[in-house]
Amino acid sequence: MATKHEQILQYINSLPVGEKISVRQIAKDINVSEGTAYRAIKEAENKGYVSTIERVGTIRIETKKKENFEKLTYAEVVNIVDGQVLGGRAGLHKTLNKFVIGAMKLEAMMRYTGAGNLLIVGNRTNAHQYALEAGAAVLITGGFDTEDSVKKLADELELPIISTSYDTFTVGTMINRAIYDQLIKKEIVQVEDILTPLEKTIYLKTTDTVATWYQNNYETGHGRFPVIDQNIKVHGIVTSKDIMGHDHSTIIEKVMTKSPVTVMGKTSVASAAQMMVWEGIEVLPVVDQHNRLQGMISRQDVLKALQMIQRQPQIGEKLDDIVTNQFITIEDESKRSSIFRCEVSPQMTNHLGTISYGVFTTLVTESVNRYLRAQKKGDIIVENITIYFIKPVQMESMLELHPKILEVGRKFGKIDIEAYSEGMVVGKAMMMVQLIER
């Protein structure tokens, strides 16, 4: 039986794209309190079902799949640029495929403007009208208004016309940044992208017997199964160790490991890997917010995904990428180790013009990661790091990092790192890491 909260989410999801949603209307339609309706609408916004715009309200928008993650809806554009909707509200749910900056003659501008575009332009009323007629929405910069006839046309064509107080350059930068952020999110592989779905997951019920475990073990060759109740809620996990020495007629609930470690679909694969290494477990049940089973992930699934992420072309550049992309690896034959060299760019400094502590920590971590990967030791999870900042490193100076393995086993490693600039030691670090075997 679905809870009131889930019923509201299902109801919102079933609404046609473009529909307006209000707390009062949902509370009335589903017979719930306004507080419950408000909480569900907020969650729907987090899940990307709806978008809330000041002075307009909440609108059902197209739910984004990983493939079209970088596309923005006009509703999202309004929020990005702190805009005001002048007309065409009924089209706010639509997605735009490209934006055109109207800094040219009208005929040239119209050659570039087509259906599904967003024309970013100042107070040029004829451009507003022609863009709408061509099937494009309009974003007016500089806080300008437009004529009533244009607003009426926008309403008829269901194409938004938005006004923002920002200038054209700032608006272009803000929208680009938002698309970039979407691309970074798209790159992050989540548990829901790699899980074995519920219909393919072998599980046991709390009322089953040990004999059922043996049967599933014989059929699948696996020894670990989640244990659920009649509402598909996860109560435990059962492994060969748990059933050892028990009679075949023993109820699973009596032998299972209760309250197992679980993970949610929106968790990143990197976090799941850390949990598995930390807890020393091979499989993780994937659950929803009500602890109902959604599927399973295994250590092999996670490792495969981590390797795939490394091979993927990076699309949206993150701060770590900006810092570590400048790394040059030099093999030091005399000491049979690697040196990592990088120039301290202005972006990598603090307000004093010297390398920032955060950047230095990132460089140290990345040098160890690359060094151990080259030694075929697999990927790392940093457990702790001690850094000594000895001398400030100036902007545009060359920094060299010399990692050295002090001790390394199958699961753990201790690494010493020395940082040099202009022949002098400027910092030292000691790092303890867990190794994820490939």
Side-chain angles (χ1 to χ4, degrees):
M1 178 73 183
T3 62
K4 293 277 188 195
H5 185 79
E6 288 169 295
Q7 281 173 22
I8 301 167
L9 283 174
Q10 283 162 11
Y11 172 73
I12 292 171
N13 212 2
S14 69
L15 290 173
V17 169
E19 183 95 356
K20 263 192 87 170
I21 296 162
S22 77
V23 169
R24 194 167 294 163
Q25 168 231 325
I26 282 183
K28 192 162 153 250
D29 287 357
I30 303 186
N31 193 22
V32 293
S33 72
E34 290 194 0
T36 306
Y38 175 79
R39 280 192 297 278
I41 288 172
K42 277 287 153 213
E43 186 169 337
E45 200 169 345
N46 293 338
K47 285 177 181 279
Y49 298 165
V50 301
S51 186
T52 302
I53 303 168
E54 213 178 319
R55 296 192 291 275
V56 172
T58 305
I59 299 161
R60 172 78 175 94
I61 59 170
E62 215 173 319
T63 311
K64 291 185 182 180
K65 295 183 172 66
K66 279 259 177 182
E67 307 83 78
N68 69 350
F69 218 64
E70 60 270 38
K71 289 193 176 174
L72 297 172
T73 60
Y74 295 120
E76 286 172 304
V77 170
V78 176
N79 287 330
I80 291 161
V81 301
D82 301 326
Q84 189 182 342
V85 183
L86 305 177
R89 287 179 184 189
L92 282 167
H93 64 277
K94 295 173 182 171
T95 53
L96 65 132
N97 49 30
K98 74 168 186 177
F99 62 90
V100 178
I101 292 180
M104 53 192 100
K105 283 189 177 168
L106 193 60
E107 314 85 75
M109 207 188 294
M110 287 308 112
R111 272 206 303 276
Y112 289 103
T113 310
N117 293 177
L118 174 69
L119 176 67
I120 301 171
V121 69
N123 57 339
R124 297 167 70 177
T125 312
N126 48 359
H128 305 163
Q129 186 175 331
Y130 287 148
L132 290 169
E133 285 167 354
V138 179
L139 175 56
I140 306 167
T141 57
F144 293 107
D145 202 341
T146 190
E147 287 175 10
D148 288 344
S149 59
V150 175
K151 293 178 191 174
K152 195 161 169 258
L153 180 65
D155 288 337
E156 281 168 22
L157 297 173
E158 295 189 354
L159 285 168
I161 188 155
I162 305 154
S163 175
T164 175
S165 55
Y166 294 110
D167 62 86
T168 305
F169 175 77
T170 308
V171 163
T173 309
M174 288 163 96
I175 295 175
N176 253 327
R177 181 68 254 177
I179 291 171
Y180 222 46
D181 287 349
Q182 299 268 37
L183 286 168
I184 288 171
K185 285 185 198 170
K186 181 179 174 178
E187 277 176 42
I188 296 165
V189 181
Q190 295 175 329
V191 164
E192 65 185 7
D193 299 324
I194 65 163
L195 62 74
T196 300
L198 183 61
E199 56 274 17
K200 291 184 181 170
T201 300
I202 311 292
Y203 50 80
L204 296 175
K205 295 210 167 90
T206 45
T207 51
D208 284 337
T209 61
V210 168
T212 319
W213 181 91
Y214 278 105
Q215 189 187 330
N216 284 339
N217 174 245
Y218 175 73
E219 286 170 7
T220 64
H222 297 304
R224 295 174 173 82
F225 307 104
V227 183
I228 60 167
D229 64 13
Q230 68 273 23
N231 297 319
I232 326 179
K233 288 194 175 180
V234 175
H235 280 257
I237 197 151
V238 66
T239 69
S240 52
K241 206 161 73 182
D242 298 321
I243 57 103
M244 208 179 283
H246 288 281
D247 196 80
H248 279 227
S249 58
T250 310
I251 302 293
I252 285 291
E253 195 169 20
K254 290 186 177 169
V255 299
M256 69 185 186
T257 302
K258 290 180 178 154
S259 309
V261 179
T262 58
V263 70
M264 292 180 84
K266 292 285 177 200
T267 308
S268 73
V269 166
S271 300
Q274 185 155 4
M275 285 164 81
M276 289 175 125
V277 169
W278 191 253
E279 300 285 345
I281 48 185
E282 293 295 322
V283 293
L284 270 177
V286 183
V287 296
D288 64 11
Q289 64 267 45
H290 302 289
N291 204 38
R292 281 189 306 233
L293 188 65
Q294 304 285 290
M296 293 281 282
I297 54 166
S298 69
R299 197 183 273 236
Q300 283 88 342
D301 297 332
V302 167
L303 292 179
K304 215 184 290 175
L306 288 174
Q307 284 162 25
M308 182 191 78
I309 293 164
Q310 279 154 24
R311 286 197 298 269
Q312 260 190 342
Q314 297 301 298
I315 318 165
E317 204 173 24
K318 298 176 276 297
L319 289 173
D320 276 17
D321 299 330
I322 293 166
V323 170
T324 57
N325 278 351
Q326 304 181 47
F327 254 171
I328 302 163
T329 309
I330 302 150
E331 296 305 325
D332 186 350
E333 292 300 331
S334 60
K335 293 181 183 168
R336 289 172 61 204
S337 68
S338 301
I339 295 168
F340 299 91
R341 189 175 285 166
C342 140
E343 189 182 340
V344 179
S345 67
Q347 276 177 308
M348 292 157 70
T349 59
N350 57 24
H351 64 290
L352 300 169
T354 60
I355 194 166
S356 89
Y357 299 140
V359 167
F360 188 73
T361 309
T362 300
L363 291 172
V364 164
T365 309
E366 183 62 15
S367 68
V368 169
N369 210 343
R370 291 189 187 195
Y371 182 50
L372 289 178
R373 217 179 284 159
Q375 304 276 327
K376 304 282 186 287
K377 300 289 181 195
D379 293 302
I380 65 165
I381 290 170
V382 177
E383 213 166 82
N384 67 52
I385 180 168
T386 308
I387 295 185
Y388 299 94
F389 300 97
I390 297 165
K391 282 188 168 67
V393 182
Q394 301 299 318
M395 189 190 298
E396 291 175 352
S397 58
M398 198 59 82
L399 187 70
E400 274 190 6
L401 294 153
H402 299 235
K404 187 173 76 187
I405 293 173
L406 297 179
E407 188 184 351
V408 69
R410 228 163 47 82
K411 292 193 174 175
F412 292 94
K414 276 185 199 161
I415 297 93
D416 177 72
I417 306 100
E418 283 192 333
Y420 290 86
S421 183
E422 294 169 10
M424 289 190 302
V425 177
V426 291
K428 278 178 85 76
M430 164 80 116
M431 196 183 278
M432 281 277 290
V433 298
Q434 279 195 43
L435 302 166
I436 309 178
E437 291 171 43
R438 292 199 170 192

